[in-house]
Amino acid sequence: MDKTEAVKSEPKPKPDREQWGNQMEFLFTCIAYAVGLGNVWRFPYLAYKNGGGAFLIPYVIMLALVGLPLFFMEIALGQYSSLGPIKAWKVSPLFKGRGVASVFVSALIGLYYNVIVAYCLVYLISSMTSELPCGPTAKNDWNSDMSLVECQPVLVGSLAAAWFIVFLVLIKGVGSLGKVVYFVAIFPYIMLTILLVRGLTLEGASDGVMYYLSPSWERLADIQVWKDAAVQIFFSLSACTGGLITMSSYNRYENNIRRDAILIPLLNCATSVFAGFVIFSVLGFMAHEKNVPIDEVAEQGPGLVFVVYPEALSKMPVPPLWSILFFIMMCSLGFGSQFSIIENVIASIIDQFPGTLRSSTLRSICFRAVVCSAFFLVGLTMVTRAEALCNQRKTLSTLRVDKNSQRISTK
């Protein structure tokens, strides 16, 4: 038997689970999974806090030394095994606990992530008025002392809608998810570009961009800067949470993962830098309007998305239009990541009990409905008045610590 016949006679693994309709579905799903809310509300703040343009040096180094190899390893493991993050580690049973832990982490992330999406939905609907309810001078429930109490039913309804959307998209697993990701992966880039063009035309935008990019080379000697860069790479690429293993497990066995492992991380990190221009062009405008330094309006996390940026949008001409566009973008980013997070959890459980949960389509759909309903019920604890007050205090405390550390570092 010659070598050609030997190669042809080698058995190829047969897929025992769903597969992507085409390779673009996998590519767009990974992009939507990796490019999330953190690219908009976390990276720009870390960049200006850790030396502006100088922060890109440790960021790129960590991407090359940590991000790319880790990303390649995870999608290679998933594609080779055609299993989720728990069962995939049968190649080395010692690490099975690592797979269980990653799914548990994904479940925790999925719980609070959809609460954030629910807030984005509330802000989106509230923006469809002649005057933004989130503006600094608006007289409504959002600005009153009782707003946290009165708006909780709205948040409950919004959270229910968010989980219902997740269920509908994942009702047939990757069969339905693969059709939706074209929108949630591409649309945010369209919105980011529109917001950037609008932001750059505002007064003070150039000051914001310069503040974002101006390098402070001395910050490279601070180990905290390198730590923040490494942590951001893990956040940006959604590494070590099992989702990449799950998404690649639906690939065809012959897929070119080397190409994907380079393209997706590079595009994701470029998106973070691009989003920084969008955010700081508007923050520069807001600082110009208030006649204050930019560091007094720059925030990270929910404070940026739900307080600072909406206030800046309220000062633009036709504020409802820009607010609607912004929160549609945020919803798209949030859902794009949330779909893959929950599919990771569901697929991992189904892999553990394939004979029971994969035996019929109806049983699989019912199980997915139960998981989404359970997550919704647990998520109700995060839309109470006590939880909202706790988050406000954490945000204020973080801002005080960040600003105090900046003052100390400049002395």
Side-chain angles (χ1 to χ4, degrees), residues 32-333:
Y33 179 40
V35 178
L37 298 173
N39 295 76
V40 174
W41 76 18
R42 193 168 191 272
F43 176 83
Y45 178 84
L46 286 180
Y48 104 85
K49 170 189 168 186
N50 290 310
F55 181 69
L56 295 179
I57 295 177
Y59 187 67
V60 171
I61 291 175
M62 290 300 172
L63 171 64
L65 297 182
V66 180
L68 290 173
L70 192 57
F71 196 95
F72 179 82
M73 184 198 74
E74 292 205 22
I75 65 174
L77 178 60
Q79 182 170 309
Y80 176 79
S81 65
S82 293
L83 293 169
I86 298 178
K87 279 271 182 121
W89 286 106
K90 66 182 182 181
V91 299
S92 180
L94 181 66
F95 292 100
K96 185 176 181 180
R98 186 260 185 214
V100 174
S102 67
V103 175
F104 183 71
V105 169
S106 283
L108 294 179
I109 294 174
L111 280 173
Y112 80 78
Y113 210 83
N114 227 25
V115 174
I116 300 173
V117 174
Y119 271 97
C120 291
L121 289 174
V122 171
Y123 271 70
L124 172 61
I125 295 172
S126 300
S127 299
M128 298 177 184
T129 59
S130 58
E131 182 181 354
L132 290 184
C134 49
T137 60
K139 303 297 183 183
N140 47 61
D141 293 341
W142 296 85
N143 304 100
S144 66
D145 292 337
M146 295 300 292
S147 62
L148 293 174
V149 178
E150 295 178 2
C151 74
Q152 296 316 303
V154 176
L155 285 175
V156 171
S158 179
L159 183 63
W163 278 112
F164 185 64
I165 292 172
V166 171
F167 167 69
L168 288 181
V169 171
L170 300 181
I171 191 170
K172 293 184 179 180
V174 296
S176 50
L177 172 61
K179 306 302 181 290
V180 177
V181 291
Y182 287 101
F183 174 79
V184 295
I186 296 175
F187 186 76
Y189 288 96
I190 298 175
M191 290 296 97
L192 281 171
T193 303
I194 293 174
L195 290 170
L196 176 62
V197 172
R198 179 64 183 117
L200 292 177
T201 62
L202 300 171
E203 291 188 48
S206 59
D207 296 333
V209 172
M210 290 303 299
Y211 192 85
Y212 169 53
L213 292 179
S214 297
S216 299
W217 302 111
E218 67 278 2
R219 296 285 289 144
L220 295 178
D222 188 350
I223 191 63
Q224 183 64 36
V225 173
W226 294 83
K227 174 187 172 184
D228 286 345
V231 171
Q232 181 61 23
I233 287 296
F234 277 86
F235 270 111
S236 292
L237 301 182
S238 300
C240 298
T241 56
L244 296 175
I245 297 177
T246 298
M247 296 304 109
S248 61
S249 69
Y250 299 117
N251 275 338
R252 291 176 173 81
Y253 190 72
E254 302 84 2
N255 176 56
N256 184 355
I257 57 174
R258 182 175 58 183
R259 174 201 60 203
D260 298 337
I262 296 174
L263 178 61
I264 296 171
L266 290 180
L267 181 60
N268 171 71
C269 293
T271 303
S272 296
V273 177
F274 182 65
F277 288 98
V278 177
I279 295 299
F280 273 88
S281 62
V282 175
L283 292 183
F285 162 73
M286 186 175 178
H288 178 270
E289 287 288 303
K290 289 188 170 185
N291 196 27
V292 297
I294 295 176
D295 60 357
E296 292 190 14
V297 298
E299 293 186 17
Q300 68 168 331
L304 172 64
V305 173
F306 298 117
V307 179
V308 176
Y309 209 86
E311 183 179 349
L313 294 175
S314 69
K315 298 178 182 295
M316 293 184 185
V318 198
L321 171 63
W322 301 109
S323 183
I324 289 171
L325 293 177
F326 177 72
F327 284 109
I328 288 178
M329 179 193 72
M330 296 303 295
C331 288
S332 299
L333 288 170

Side-chain angles (χ1 to χ4, degrees), residues 1 7 10 45 53 60 83 211 265 273 275 318 338 341 347 363 368 370 380-381 396 407:
M1 181 182 294
V7 171
E10 288 182 1
Y45 178 84
V60 171
L83 293 169
Y211 192 85
V273 177
V318 198
Q338 181 70 357
I341 291 171
R363 187 170 294 183
R368 291 172 182 276
V370 169
L380 291 177
T381 61
L396 291 173
R407 294 191 189 102

